[in-house]
Amino acid sequence: IYSNFAYQGYGRGIDLNLLRTVNSLATDALLPDLVILFDLDPKIGLERAQKRAGGWTRFEADTLQFHERVRDGFLKLAAEDSERFSVIDASQSAEAV
């Protein structure tokens, strides 16, 4: 559900209250005990995605501004529910992360 809020709500501008209602109905208000958020500057994330086998998917093909809104949305969600979220700095090497 948090990806839905971040991508559709913050990224695409769909009303967050509408998304909350739809998600609550679809999941019977079920929420995870823990959300692990790998936080990374979108520019670095897009560079990494371009280097991987297969290149970009349709998700990466959107604008940098879209990805920045999505990241900001995830960080807002994490700040609003800090008991549930664990934010990991993903700018480090894969081994360190």
Side-chain angles (χ1 to χ4, degrees), residues 9-86:
Y10 290 100
R12 302 251 181 253
I14 295 175
D15 182 71
L16 289 172
N17 287 326
L18 173 64
L19 292 173
R20 282 188 184 91
T21 300
V22 170
N23 279 301
S24 182
L25 290 169
T27 64
D28 199 24
L30 182 66
L31 292 174
D33 295 325
L34 174 66
V35 178
I36 300 173
L37 174 59
F38 293 95
D39 180 41
L40 181 65
D41 180 290
K43 188 172 182 178
I44 296 169
L46 291 169
E47 289 170 0
R48 287 181 182 179
Q50 196 165 31
K51 291 177 185 176
R52 74 171 175 243
W56 282 4
T57 67
R58 67 182 178 93
F59 291 107
E60 288 95 10
D62 221 315
T63 66
L64 178 60
Q65 293 76 21
F66 169 78
H67 291 284
E68 289 170 342
R69 290 192 306 270
V70 169
R71 179 188 187 205
D72 289 344
F74 271 120
L75 293 174
K76 285 178 186 175
L77 292 165
E80 292 170 1
D81 198 356
S82 60
E83 296 282 319
R84 190 177 316 273
F85 275 78
S86 178

